[in-house]
Amino acid sequence: MGSPLQAIDQNIISSVQKLVTCGNKVTSIPSHYAYFKNPSDSTALPGDDIPVIDYSLLISGDHDQQTKTVSELGKACQDWGFFMVKNHGISEKLYEAMFEKCEEFNSMSDDEKQEFKMKKDVMDRIKYGSSNNLSSTQVRFWRDYLKLFLHPDFNSPHKPAGFSETLLEVSKKQREVMKNLLRGVSKSLEVEESYLYNMADMDRGMDFFAANIYPPCPQPELAVGLSPHTDFGLLIMLASNGVGGLQIQRNGTWYSVDVRPNHLMVNLGDHMEILTNGKYKSVVHRAMVNSKTTRISSATVYGPEVNKFVVPAPKFVDDNNPPVYRGMKYGDYFIADQTSTTKGVTSLDLVRI
């Protein structure tokens, strides 16, 4: 006899959390959550060589140390499109508090969360939901989420108590880290340190936040938290509650990202690739699940001002390097990425020449 979940109508299940706490011992997943046909496809090599950037050296007043770190950052962007950041100055306790509030939010009843439920408009300032795999009517993601716009206007649910204040503190501190990382990336490209920031009008940029909650899964070798994809935006900053699950792709091979205490994970997004005319690439990644414990991650996408018409920046275009991407408003790209039912791994095909 199959799992009791197999008989549950997926349309009445509002979240993965509710699905796994429906009162029965869950031993297998419903068929519409089975992503991998071959369990070995979910495996990855250890990511022992993934670059780690010391943020304290990047902002150091020591010119030699800073120059060396900028070089390391450029190599990480060129070779991986991904790096981890240590010594960033944001306390581990603050992140722990944020993840506690995310879990509290997700544990509220459906009635309590109803006002924040995902509507049809992806530009809703606050929205929660489950799965959100628009590219497939057959397979759902083993994920619940809360999505918010943090900048230029800060948005947050008014419950649970303390969530808004904690999230605001995290968002302010992370934005400062983002600014300095973007300065370092610009320097690594041998342009003025404010070049990328100004080209994308980041003072008015759209900071998009997603709290992703991946409950324990009885068949983690078959399910996926998020399928392979690239992200919109310039830089994406990810923190987690200490539970692993992120995998990145390099030269066609998957690597698992180690969870290290109070390290931020940063990947390059589609608009970094567009602005640099392909010099730095947007990285393909996916989120895996496990059978033992809930993984919570917070991803903040730092992108241009919503009405910014994004094209390859002049510094990266010349007679030998013609534009390989056409221009598109950032807001239009965001909406297309979030609503497409035909999207593959990346939305860059929308603008590729």
Side-chain angles (χ1 to χ4, degrees):
M1 181 180 294
S3 163
L5 290 179
Q6 298 292 346
I8 295 176
D9 183 350
Q10 62 174 305
N11 293 319
I12 67 171
I13 294 295
S14 57
S15 69
V16 176
Q17 180 70 24
K18 190 171 181 179
L19 187 150
V20 299
T21 57
C22 64
N24 296 294
K25 176 66 175 176
V26 179
T27 58
S28 62
I29 61 175
S31 58
H32 48 273
Y33 283 95
Y35 176 81
F36 293 105
K37 305 306 179 189
N38 184 347
S40 65
D41 291 339
S42 65
T43 59
L45 297 176
D48 298 334
D49 296 328
I50 290 173
V52 178
I53 302 300
D54 189 330
Y55 179 80
S56 67
L57 300 182
L58 183 68
I59 63 172
S60 167
D62 185 311
H63 180 266
D64 290 342
Q65 283 187 332
Q66 189 181 88
T67 300
K68 181 175 181 292
T69 307
V70 165
S71 177
E72 292 170 353
L73 179 59
K75 184 170 174 52
C77 291
Q78 185 80 53
D79 295 349
W80 287 86
F82 179 90
F83 52 91
M84 291 190 282
V85 178
K86 66 179 182 179
N87 298 328
H88 47 72
I90 307 174
S91 75
E92 194 168 9
K93 286 187 176 180
L94 180 58
Y95 279 116
E96 288 172 354
M98 182 182 69
F99 291 129
E100 285 175 9
K101 293 302 177 183
C102 289
E103 195 159 23
E104 281 182 42
F105 178 90
N106 202 51
S107 297
M108 292 192 306
S109 69
D110 286 352
D111 287 344
E112 289 179 290
K113 292 185 288 189
Q114 186 62 37
E115 64 184 290
F116 310 117
K117 189 173 182 180
M118 172 74 173
K119 308 295 193 302
K120 290 184 179 179
D121 188 354
V122 296
M123 295 303 289
D124 288 345
R125 312 315 288 174
I126 303 172
K127 47 191 175 290
Y128 93 92
S130 188
S131 181
N132 199 35
N133 184 8
L134 297 174
S135 65
S136 172
T137 57
Q138 302 299 316
V139 180
R140 294 172 66 84
F141 296 152
W142 196 266
R143 171 189 77 143
D144 300 328
Y145 63 83
L146 172 66
K147 296 180 178 181
L148 314 163
F149 290 94
L150 300 180
H151 191 271
D153 301 311
F154 178 78
N155 298 272
S156 173
H158 55 83
K159 51 190 174 183
F163 188 11
S164 180
E165 293 81 0
T166 302
L167 182 59
L168 179 59
E169 187 175 354
V170 172
S171 67
K172 285 180 177 178
K173 291 180 181 298
Q174 278 198 175
R175 188 158 235 277
E176 188 61 29
V177 174
M178 176 275 293
K179 289 179 182 178
N180 284 319
L181 288 176
L182 206 52
R183 290 184 184 113
V185 173
S186 288
K187 286 181 180 180
S188 76
L189 289 161
E190 299 182 342
V191 295
E192 165 63 34
E193 67 173 24
S194 61
Y195 187 75
L196 291 174
Y197 189 90
N198 291 339
M199 286 299 300
D201 198 1
M202 294 294 283
D203 269 342
R204 299 187 297 161
M206 188 174 86
D207 298 358
F208 180 76
F209 172 90
N212 298 306
I213 301 175
Y214 308 98
C217 178
Q219 293 179 294
E221 73 281 1
L222 297 181
V224 70
L226 284 172
S227 65
H229 66 285
T230 64
D231 294 323
F232 52 90
L234 273 73
L235 293 179
I236 296 82
M237 201 175 293
L238 185 81
S240 79
N241 66 337
V243 180
L246 178 65
Q247 295 180 353
I248 60 174
Q249 192 179 67
R250 184 190 186 209
N251 299 328
T253 300
W254 286 104
Y255 294 89
S256 291
V257 179
D258 267 344
V259 176
R260 302 187 184 186
N262 210 26
H263 280 54
L264 289 169
M265 293 158 275
V266 180
N267 64 275
L268 306 185
D270 295 349
H271 290 81
M272 181 66 77
E273 183 165 335
I274 295 167
L275 276 177
T276 64
N277 201 32
K279 187 173 180 66
Y280 286 169
K281 305 289 188 185
S282 183
V283 67
V284 177
H285 54 290
R286 66 188 183 186
M288 310 307 293
V289 295
N290 72 83
S291 61
K292 298 185 185 333
T293 187
T294 297
R295 176 176 182 251
I296 305 176
S297 71
S298 68
T300 307
V301 181
Y302 296 97
E305 190 271 329
V306 66
N307 290 311
K308 183 71 176 179
F309 192 73
V310 185
V311 296
K315 292 281 189 181
F316 309 112
V317 176
D318 56 36
D319 290 341
N320 296 319
N321 298 284
V324 292
Y325 302 103
R326 65 181 180 84
M328 189 176 191
K329 274 188 181 181
Y330 183 61
D332 291 342
Y333 190 102
F334 169 80
I335 292 170
D337 179 272
Q338 293 289 287
T339 59
S340 173
T341 58
T342 58
K343 179 188 173 186
V345 171
T346 181
S347 289
L348 279 167
D349 292 337
L350 291 168
V351 294
R352 209 185 305 272
I353 294 175

